[in-house]
Amino acid sequence: MSAASPQAVNRLLASLPDAEYQRLVPHLKQVPLSLKQVLHEVGEPIEYVYFPHRAIVSLLSTMNDGSSVEVGLVGNDGITGIPPVLGDNIATTTATVQVAGSAMRMRASLLKTEFERGGSLQSLLLRYMQALYALVSQGAACNRLHRLDSRLARWLLLVCDRVESNDLPMTQEFMSQMLGVRRAGVTEAANSLQQAGLIRYSRGKITILNRQELQAASCECYENIKGEYARLLGTEHS
């Protein structure tokens, strides 16, 4: 597969042997993903799966009162809409675009058919699901046990890795929703990181100024998640 092809921007697609990738090509369509676009709602059938490029998709768990928190994160190393591959096409989370960009889209039913053929695609998606499970479980522990500024640092690093940029379009209101805390808490944590010279925050934008020190300010969860993705998928973010 050519490194210049749009498909290669997604690491899962780029990892497929060419013969298996070529079977997918007729069913893949590049589509734009806009900010706050909902790709699928919890409890509803999943019609399409998406392989993001530099877009970021949050997997949200929503309570009866309408409040929500991010439980998973999908970027250029992943895919949204996994349940149909496992035999049930009903979404257990809401997938919402948090950083606009583009993705390759295909019908979930067609991906399921390809998955059931076995081969590298099946193995790759199973390893990806294990990596995503590691992210979800590590995040649950992190949110319970670690300080908010360390959690924010971890989250910013994960997003930065997947958009491959130090400039992140983020509002504090959105970050508070993703981290499941009040906006005042995110303001305090962001100010702490900014005063330490690790990030610069302006209206609707965060710039990472010192990645090495931001990693030091993060809890061990970032390195644990990064290590599992590298071990399972052979990917290494910068």
Side-chain angles (χ1 to χ4, degrees):
M1 189 190 326
S2 169
S5 69
Q7 293 81 7
V9 179
N10 181 276
R11 298 177 187 223
L12 279 187
L13 290 178
S15 296
L16 287 173
D18 192 63
E20 292 195 37
Y21 169 70
Q22 291 300 328
R23 287 206 304 266
L24 300 183
V25 168
H27 311 299
L28 290 168
K29 179 182 180 181
Q30 185 168 352
V31 295
L33 298 181
S34 57
L35 182 63
K36 298 186 179 181
Q37 179 181 349
V38 176
L39 305 184
H40 60 68
E41 291 269 14
V42 63
E44 295 185 354
I46 297 175
E47 184 176 1
Y48 293 101
V49 299
Y50 295 82
F51 296 89
H53 293 165
R54 288 191 172 90
I56 296 291
V57 179
S58 285
L59 306 179
L60 305 176
S61 180
T62 305
M63 302 295 103
N64 289 338
D65 64 1
S67 61
S68 61
V69 64
E70 181 182 86
V71 295
L73 188 71
V74 181
N76 63 2
D77 52 1
I79 177 179
T80 70
I82 283 293
V85 172
L86 302 177
D88 179 22
N89 73 332
I90 301 301
T92 56
T93 58
T94 295
T96 303
V97 178
Q98 65 162 266
V99 175
S102 62
M104 302 306 293
R105 185 184 74 181
M106 72 178 296
R107 288 194 175 275
S109 58
L110 294 174
L111 183 66
K112 184 175 186 294
T113 298
E114 288 298 320
F115 178 85
E116 290 174 346
R117 293 175 67 132
S120 296
L121 176 63
Q122 184 183 89
S123 175
L124 182 64
L125 289 181
L126 288 173
R127 293 199 308 274
Y128 172 70
M129 285 183 270
Q130 186 176 344
L132 185 61
Y133 175 78
L135 183 150
V136 171
S137 57
Q138 190 79 48
C142 181
N143 289 342
R144 176 65 180 84
L145 299 174
H146 293 149
R147 298 195 324 264
L148 181 55
D149 55 345
S150 296
R151 290 163 51 197
L152 177 59
R154 179 258 299 171
W155 187 76
L156 290 174
L157 288 165
L158 289 174
V159 173
C160 174
D161 286 345
R162 286 152 179 80
V163 300
E164 299 179 3
S165 172
N166 287 327
D167 295 316
L168 308 176
M170 293 284 161
T171 65
Q172 290 190 0
E173 180 180 4
F174 192 69
M175 287 188 291
S176 68
Q177 181 188 24
M178 295 305 99
L179 293 169
V181 297
R182 293 182 178 179
R183 182 172 177 177
V186 171
T187 299
E188 183 177 348
N191 285 341
S192 175
L193 296 178
Q194 183 165 250
Q195 289 169 8
L198 309 185
I199 68 171
R200 179 174 62 245
Y201 177 75
S202 58
R203 194 172 193 87
K205 180 181 178 182
I206 286 182
T207 300
I208 295 177
L209 301 176
N210 190 325
R211 182 185 174 88
Q212 185 175 359
E213 290 300 318
L214 187 63
Q215 286 185 222
S218 174
C219 50
E220 71 265 26
C221 298
Y222 169 68
E223 288 295 340
N224 290 345
I225 293 169
K226 180 180 178 182
E228 281 298 281
Y229 271 74
R231 181 180 73 84
L232 292 163
L233 301 173
T235 58
E236 185 65 40
H237 292 293
S238 60

